[in-house]
Amino acid sequence: MTHADPASVRPRRFAPQGPLKGRIRVPGDKSISHRSIMLGALAVGETRVTGLLEGEDVLATAAAMRAMGATVERTGEGAWTIHGVGVGALLQPKGPLDMGNSGTSTRLLMGLVASHPINVSFTGDDSLSKRPMNRVITPLSQMGASFDASEGGRLPLIVRGASPAVPITYTLPVASAQVKSAILLAGLNTPGKTTVIEPVPTRDHSERMLQGFGAELTVETREDGARVITVTGEAELKPQVIDVPGDPSSAAFFLVAALVTPGSDVMIENVGLNPTRAGLVEVLCQMGADITKCDERVVGGEPVADLHVRHSPLKGIVVDPAIAPSMIDEFPALFVAAALAEGTTTTSGLDELRVKESDRLSAMATALVAAGADVEERADGLVIKGTGGVPLAGTRPGFEVTTHLDHRIAMAMAIAGLASGDGVMIDDTRPIATSFPVFEAMLDGLVA
């Protein structure tokens, strides 16, 4: 992974360069890209994928599935074929699986391995090795898998799969699509019915894609709003043809960039607008954003549209914490929008942001304050008093934003730099490659 060598650090200053104009197409959705490779590797036959995100995180998933017996090949830009081994037929890898910076790869693959008769060692970079895995270890242990983890349930760790695994009914203690998905993936090779109850709905790409691949999966919504998802093992998955829509988490940075940069007019094509992922667009529109959905359509079971966004004066709001799961990765971008809005924006219910690639609440508060924003950090959110559209006052002399190897901190503060007085210096842009390798080139193209 590119982060390993400190000698290759790539700092960059992002400064105002005028309005953003043009049409762009952001890379494929990261969540769907991960799952298309994993499920393709468990189907018997050839799965073809176009629009795959070719960032480091997804490439880590591809390498892991190769190591466990699947044939995963790139046939063109964003075009891949996967020849799967079948559910229950994953092979013992010859060495540790290096997950780089990818928490999604790690947690979902822990689920896959948990119900196969193999032992797998997972490693990762410094950032990933600080992230807790106990939330996945707990339910998978109930299914019969065993774990040798580092202190605090962290990487490096070893998963010893159970054969046969035991079906469980598990209520998620915290909203997490990754934990839900890990349990459902383990359930694919578990005799009987494995059920996950999520009190707060989270992104549902796993459910949609499992059904698309032919798994017997049901979703029911209770009167209290909780979702009950049940998968029946031992599943036989059928290969699919998948066109991955654009990643709304990647589109988020360009939405905000255009909104806060005067004179901007940008069309972002082919953005996935799954209801469990579209919270940011809703919140920005509540703040007064000029965003138009064009050519709304459904591709591969996922709602998609082109988003036309123009510079807009934004107003601060109180963000409903109930919407947080549908935009959890987009809050760094929203914090930048709030810093340029008129009035105060208050966010809460964001405890999950403290255990992402970095503590995103603390990292964004520190970075925005240094850039000239008025930010109060609370236990579960930020309170941001916006400038009313006035450029951020500028960083302290010699200050660099510390990204903590977090791609979203780097991209969010790059956007803040466009709406600042003197620009924002990012300590290292390399982490951006984990999810959005062409981010800088695309941003520079819109400015040009």
Side-chain angles (χ1 to χ4, degrees):
M1 291 293 159
T2 58
H3 312 158
D5 179 13
S8 62
V9 169
R10 287 198 294 113
R12 177 177 170 182
R13 178 177 293 278
F14 292 85
Q17 298 186 55
L20 308 181
K21 303 272 190 179
R23 302 176 72 94
I24 58 171
R25 178 173 290 228
V26 297
D29 185 283
K30 187 163 73 157
S31 297
I32 297 174
S33 294
H34 280 302
R35 289 159 175 79
S36 65
I37 291 177
M38 292 182 193
L39 295 183
L42 292 178
V44 177
E46 181 183 84
T47 291
R48 297 196 304 276
V49 184
T50 54
L52 188 90
L53 171 63
E54 295 177 336
E56 291 175 359
D57 285 8
V58 175
L59 297 182
T61 292
M65 299 318 299
R66 281 193 204 99
M68 290 188 285
T71 301
V72 185
E73 297 177 322
R74 184 179 190 268
T75 58
E77 186 174 348
W80 291 66
T81 59
I82 303 105
H83 290 268
V85 296
V87 173
L90 292 178
L91 302 179
Q92 173 75 43
K94 294 179 180 178
L97 301 183
D98 181 2
M99 297 291 95
N101 190 240
S102 181
T104 301
S105 302
T106 307
R107 293 186 175 120
L108 269 58
L109 289 173
M110 286 170 64
L112 271 188
V113 168
S115 59
H116 282 74
I118 57 178
N119 300 332
V120 178
S121 175
F122 290 89
T123 64
D125 69 7
D126 289 344
S127 171
L128 182 60
S129 298
K130 295 174 183 174
R131 299 180 68 179
M133 298 296 159
N134 283 328
R135 60 178 58 179
V136 180
I137 290 173
T138 297
L140 297 180
S141 296
Q142 293 177 19
M143 298 181 75
S146 61
F147 299 83
D148 291 333
S150 300
E151 185 178 358
R154 292 175 167 81
L155 268 56
L157 62 76
I158 297 172
V159 182
R160 293 184 171 87
S163 182
V166 180
I168 62 171
T169 296
Y170 188 78
T171 300
L172 295 179
V174 62
S176 172
Q178 293 180 357
V179 178
K180 170 181 65 176
S181 299
I183 298 167
L184 294 176
L185 291 173
L188 287 175
N189 197 42
T190 300
K193 296 183 182 295
T194 297
T195 299
V196 179
I197 300 170
E198 53 174 9
V200 177
T202 65
R203 59 183 66 178
D204 64 356
H205 301 304
S206 292
E207 297 96 301
R208 290 174 185 252
M209 194 168 284
L210 281 165
Q211 289 173 329
F213 272 85
E216 185 179 331
L217 182 141
T218 61
V219 181
E220 298 177 0
T221 303
R222 300 192 314 205
E223 289 184 2
D224 61 1
R227 295 171 78 243
V228 181
I229 306 117
T230 299
V231 65
T232 301
E234 302 147 299
E236 293 185 13
L237 302 187
K238 301 175 178 62
Q240 299 296 305
V241 176
I242 300 169
D243 184 21
V244 181
D247 195 322
S249 297
S250 296
F253 300 102
F254 290 97
L255 285 172
V256 172
L259 289 171
V260 302
T261 306
S264 294
D265 188 329
V266 176
M267 180 72 83
I268 310 173
E269 300 175 346
N270 195 48
V271 180
L273 291 178
N274 182 303
T276 63
R277 296 284 303 283
L280 178 69
V281 174
E282 180 180 338
V283 169
L284 289 174
C285 288
Q286 291 173 9
M287 296 174 74
D290 183 351
I291 302 173
T292 304
K293 299 176 186 176
C294 307
D295 190 17
E296 296 186 65
R297 54 207 186 270
V298 176
V299 178
E302 293 279 348
V304 173
D306 302 334
L307 299 180
H308 187 192
V309 54
R310 302 175 184 88
H311 170 251
S312 314
L314 302 177
K315 294 187 179 297
I317 63 169
V318 176
V319 179
D320 184 351
I323 206 170
S326 68
M327 56 176 292
I328 197 67
D329 286 331
E330 287 76 74
F331 273 99
L334 178 70
F335 294 151
V336 175
L340 276 302
E342 179 183 342
T344 300
T345 297
T346 302
T347 61
S348 59
L350 305 183
D351 312 69
E352 179 72 6
L353 291 187
R354 297 222 181 259
V355 291
K356 289 289 188 177
E357 282 84 337
S358 67
D359 178 343
R360 286 183 178 159
L361 289 180
S362 177
M364 284 301 299
T366 299
L368 284 171
V369 167
D374 185 340
V375 182
E376 176 192 349
E377 180 182 347
R378 295 180 176 175
D380 66 342
L382 302 183
V383 177
I384 302 174
K385 294 180 182 177
T387 65
V390 177
L392 294 171
T395 53
R396 299 191 302 269
F399 179 83
E400 285 186 342
V401 168
T402 303
T403 61
H404 303 281
L405 292 178
D406 190 328
H407 53 130
R408 300 202 195 280
I409 301 298
M411 289 186 281
M413 292 310 298
I415 297 310
L418 301 183
S420 66
D422 302 317
V424 169
M425 176 64 79
I426 307 294
D427 70 339
D428 192 0
T429 58
R430 292 174 304 157
I432 294 172
T434 63
S435 69
F436 202 162
V438 297
F439 169 79
E440 291 177 80
M442 197 171 282
L443 186 62
D444 294 341
L446 285 176
V447 171

